[in-house]
Amino acid sequence: MAEKYKVLYYVNQFFGQIGGEDKAGIEPMYKEETVGPALGFNGLISEEGEVIGTIICGDNYFNENKEEAMKFILDIVKKTNPDIVVTGPAFNAGRYGMACGEIAKAIVEQLNIPAVTGMYVENPGVDVCKGQVIIASTSDSAAGMRKALPVMANIVKKIVKGEELGLPEEEGYIPQGKRLTVFSDKRGSQRAVEMLLARLNDEPFETELPMPVFDKVNPAEAIKDLSKATIALVTSGGIVPKGNPDRIQSASAQKWGKYDVSEKDALGADYCTIHGGYDPVYANELPDRVAPLDMLKQYEKDGVIGKVYEYFYTTTGTGTSVGNAMKFGKEIGKELKEAGVDGVILTST
Amino acid sequence: MLVSHPLGASIRMLFSPYRSIIVGEKVEEIDVFSVEIIENSIISYKKHMEVRNADWDNKEDYQLIDNELLESTLKSLNSNSCESCI
Amino acid sequence: MKLELRRIHIKDIQFGDKLAVENGVLTVNKEDLIEKLKEDERIKDIKVDIARPGEKVRIIPVKDVIEPRVKIEGAGNGFPGASTKIAQLGDGKVNVLYGAAVVTVGDIVGFQEGVVDMWGEGAKWTPFSKTYNLVVDITPVEGLDPHTHEATVRLAGLKAAEFIGEAGRKVEPDEVLTYEMESNALETKKYPDLPKVLYVEMLISQGLLHDGYIYGVNSQLILPTLIHPNEELDGAVISGNCVAACDKITTYQHQNNSVILDLYAQHGKTINFLGVILTPELTTLEGKFRTCDYTAKLCKTLGADGVIVSEEGYGNPDSDLVMICKRLENAGIKTALITDECSGRDGMSQPLTDTASEAVAVVSTGNVSHVVTLPPADKVIGNAESIATLAGGWDGALLEDGTLMCELNAVIGATSEIGYHNCTVKLY
């Protein structure tokens, strides 16, 4: 009987049955068993393949200690030498998705081993790895596990056998964004005539070239007299008071923070950056480089603006889902509007 | 204010080391349409030329055609009474 | 107007004593053709060759492709306004040497590209690997200015097609296609409930090597113009476009415009085909605004319910395509656009230069940057050195054994934006 192909599995602390949020900081570990979804997955491929082990790592640990976590994981991959690696599925969990995506991508790029994962289409982890990794399209919650695993298993089987994957809609994965020129059975003009007829008859049709959709926001009216205006400072650059008292995440933020800066002339030494998406050296030296409270306060002194709003709002932009970003924007916006703020300086990185 | 489009009308012309663009006199307000065209053209150009070299082997021919296209454009501007006011 | 296109199916071409078509075999007297073409004193030398489907032959660089025909009834043999006396086209009977093509070769500038491979991988990507090609290689006299050079080569191709077409004058056709359409008013009376559809055909109109001609008038000089589909099918529109091999509309493709043919097939059944609007693609922004406004206005004035818009070229014409689409959609006219795209070698880049959320129905005729590997040919008709230009730009594209890797944009007709060929793009 032919040897079974080897699958290495990765899950976070929750699916690895270690614990919940409280255990999100645990270091990575390797178990030569099938844990959590790996068990179900193993059953689905058992005819020709087997899961040789499960790597488990805390989502917070991974996002905050990326180098160490990656080294541990890649070492395990090198040692166990699987034919393919499976991570997740992460559904819509942002930090888990980022971890699944980055791990899968690193394995593909550095070790030349294929990887498959599963995510909800809005998970920020999708953009991290979709070019290199096949991401099965899942629902937005763990309730979709039963449907997700067979889709992932099917994709894994094809990749391991060297079979070409069909279209994303056929195989159930999120489009990688590759536009491939192929032959159609009808010439272009015929397809155009049919498309127009469908439109004229109010029938469904599918465009061959989807246009990018941009979220258009109407700008507010210009401030008539800046010298009387109250300006608030908001940032997605992850600038927080030293110690990060509210535990804002360094990636895939789940919350925003609000801090009293009425007595300060600058953010200065009391603040630092926890943003995981840029080199922190210069921001830590002088956080005002990212969120220029110092300049705003100077403008206030010079009478250029009326007043700097007493609260400074902050969160982390990198890997944060569009859904969360919209939520934060609405919440912060509501507070600022109620406080009578006239304008906002919003910095990003 | 942009008068003629920065890009050529075909892929081949993107490989040309030469492309003459006509701009109008400086205006006070920013013309959003011009800015969009310029930005999109730069993106489009980079997308192609990042992976290949400009075709210097045929540079004299490209010079010729660029000159011809420029002359055609200038002629069309002169013959349109309004455009010559720009 | 009523036009009969009478197709004589050509199964082979050969050289011989007398110009004739017998049992589908076209015989050409090489010397007679050369003598005829050399009547133009600007021509120094002509070489004529034959390339058949399946032969390991490569033709490069292709300037234009023209279908040989002869008008046996009605005005306007040849290409009125361009190569013959002006006449009203669109009515009458035309015998067509269907399956044959005159391919002109001869670069006016060194960077001209356009390859037709008659076999193998390359053959899949061009419609002209399936035609029996009479290749005419034109060398003009020295010292011609570039405009005259281009005009000379252009004219020679048209004359060759006219000369060869004569072979079909007395031959019984294998099939007859009739294209008949009266005035818009009469057609609307006949089909009051059918949606009215116009075809907007965009033409590159920017200068030397970037020209189109309508009854011999350079399209750079025109306002968008309404033309009867029969006129284009009868030879009113010819190509002066020698760049953009993949999406330039060759004269052959004007004579056999696939959008016109496919819309005509639906006329009286699912649509009321109102006609064709020829729209020049100009370089200046003012010019673009003018032509796009004018085109949309023509569509509105004619009462179109739906419009198919085809582009020619890639780059600045994308702006025109999008501008026309926006104006039509905002006027409540439904559009379907046909364009090629440039998604990069890996297919991961943004496909179009300009975008518009109104362009909800777009047919993509292929990624111009798609790389194909062409095996070495046994015979090259034209200029073998141009092969290096095709593969040009990146190392390793031309191998020692002659295998070359080039982008689709170098293959004639590969991503035809009038939808002549059958490429499409899928998202993976």
Side-chain angles (χ1 to χ4, degrees), chain C residues 146-208:
Chain C
H147 281 274
T148 312
H149 183 160
E150 191 274 328
T152 306
V153 180
R154 178 170 20 107
L155 209 54
L158 299 178
K159 288 222 164 102
E162 188 189 337
F163 186 79
I164 303 297
E166 271 302 319
R169 189 172 277 279
K170 300 254 162 62
V171 182
E172 270 307 297
D174 295 289
E175 60 174 322
V176 176
L177 300 156
T178 307
Y179 297 95
E180 190 167 3
M181 223 197 285
E182 301 180 272
S183 69
N184 285 353
L186 280 173
E187 296 293 320
T188 304
K189 224 160 137 202
K190 274 195 262 179
Y191 314 112
D193 297 323
L194 291 180
K196 301 187 182 62
V197 174
L198 274 168
Y199 167 35
V200 169
E201 184 179 358
M202 293 167 61
L203 300 173
I204 289 185
S205 312
Q206 306 194 354
L208 183 60

Side-chain angles (χ1 to χ4, degrees), chain A residues 122-142:
Chain A
E122 279 177 27
N123 193 317
V126 169
D127 280 330
V128 164
C129 67
K130 75 178 180 196
Q132 297 79 17
V133 175
I134 302 290
I135 309 172
S137 185
T138 71
S139 67
D140 61 354
S141 82

Side-chain angles (χ1 to χ4, degrees), chain B residues 2-3 5 7-13 19 33 40 44 47-48 52-53 58 61-62 68-69 72-73 83, chain C residues 110-111 113 147 206-207 210 244 283-285 289-290 314 316 319 342 349-350 353-354 389 392-393 407 409:
Chain B
L2 202 56
V3 172
H5 199 288
L7 293 180
S10 75
I11 294 280
R12 191 71 219 180
M13 296 313 292
R19 172 70 182 173
F33 190 71
N40 281 337
S44 195
K47 181 174 61 173
H48 283 279
R52 49 149 78 227
N53 312 318
N58 290 297
D61 282 334
Y62 282 116
E68 286 291 334
L69 294 178
S72 281
T73 307
E83 288 179 59
Chain C
F111 60 81
E113 62 192 4
H147 281 274
Q206 306 194 354
H210 294 70
T283 321
T284 62
L285 299 198
F289 281 121
R290 181 175 65 240
Y314 173 84
N316 79 52
S319 307
C342 185
S349 304
Q350 159 89 326
T353 308
D354 283 307
T389 311
E407 295 169 347
N409 67 53

Side-chain angles (χ1 to χ4, degrees), chain C residues 23 31 48 100 191 197 202 204 292 294 298 354 356 363 426:
Chain C
N23 296 323
E31 285 68 38
V48 182
Y191 314 112
V197 174
M202 293 167 61
I204 289 185
C292 295
Y294 205 99
L298 272 181
D354 283 307
V363 163
K426 297 251 178 225

Side-chain angles (χ1 to χ4, degrees), chain A residues 167-168 175-184 187-192 196-197 199 205 207-209 211, chain C residues 124 258 262 271 329 334-335 341 347-348 356 359-360 362-364 367 418-419 421-428:
Chain A
L167 289 167
Q176 292 192 283
K178 289 194 175 125
R179 295 189 62 78
L180 187 63
T181 304
V182 296
F183 290 105
S184 164
R187 66 184 181 185
S189 48
Q190 184 60 34
R191 304 193 316 259
L196 185 64
L197 278 173
R199 288 196 71 190
F205 66 94
T207 183
E208 296 177 2
L209 220 176
M211 292 284 158
Chain C
K124 295 190 213 155
S258 47
D262 288 343
I271 61 166
E329 291 285 340
K334 300 201 164 118
T335 64
E341 55 179 271
M348 302 281 281
V360 299
V362 183
V363 163
S364 171
N367 177 5
I418 59 168
H421 205 40
N422 61 341
C423 289
T424 184
V425 174
K426 297 251 178 225
L427 184 66
Y428 275 84

Side-chain angles (χ1 to χ4, degrees), chain B residues 1-16 19-20 22 31 33-34 36-37 40-45 47-48 51-55 57-65 68-77 79-80 82-83 86, chain C residues 108-113 146-147 204 206-210 220 243-244 246-247 281-290 312-319 323 326 342-345 349-355 368-369 389-395 407 409:
Chain B
M1 179 97 165
L2 202 56
V3 172
S4 76
H5 199 288
L7 293 180
S10 75
I11 294 280
R12 191 71 219 180
M13 296 313 292
L14 281 173
F15 308 155
S16 166
R19 172 70 182 173
S20 299
I22 304 174
D31 177 40
F33 190 71
S34 294
E36 254 186 73
I37 299 252
N40 281 337
S41 300
I42 294 173
I43 292 172
S44 195
Y45 182 80
K47 181 174 61 173
H48 283 279
V51 291
R52 49 149 78 227
N53 312 318
D55 185 6
D57 286 344
N58 290 297
K59 76 167 195 264
E60 270 153 30
D61 282 334
Y62 282 116
Q63 280 171 354
L64 171 72
I65 296 300
E68 286 291 334
L69 294 178
L70 180 62
E71 271 189 35
S72 281
T73 307
L74 288 171
K75 212 158 78 171
S76 79
L77 287 172
S79 65
N80 287 297
C82 179
E83 288 179 59
I86 294 175
Chain C
I108 298 143
V109 288
F111 60 81
Q112 242 166 288
E113 62 192 4
H147 281 274
I204 289 185
Q206 306 194 354
L208 183 60
L209 301 199
H210 294 70
Q220 201 178 13
V243 282
C246 59
D247 54 24
E281 295 166 358
L282 303 176
T283 321
T284 62
L285 299 198
E286 280 277 309
K288 287 179 190 297
F289 281 121
R290 181 175 65 240
E312 188 179 22
Y314 173 84
N316 79 52
D318 289 350
S319 307
M323 279 162 64
K326 276 188 165 144
C342 185
S343 312
R345 299 248 177 88
S349 304
Q350 159 89 326
L352 288 184
T353 308
D354 283 307
T355 59
V368 300
S369 300
T389 311
L390 265 198
W394 80 94
D395 300 318
E407 295 169 347
N409 67 53

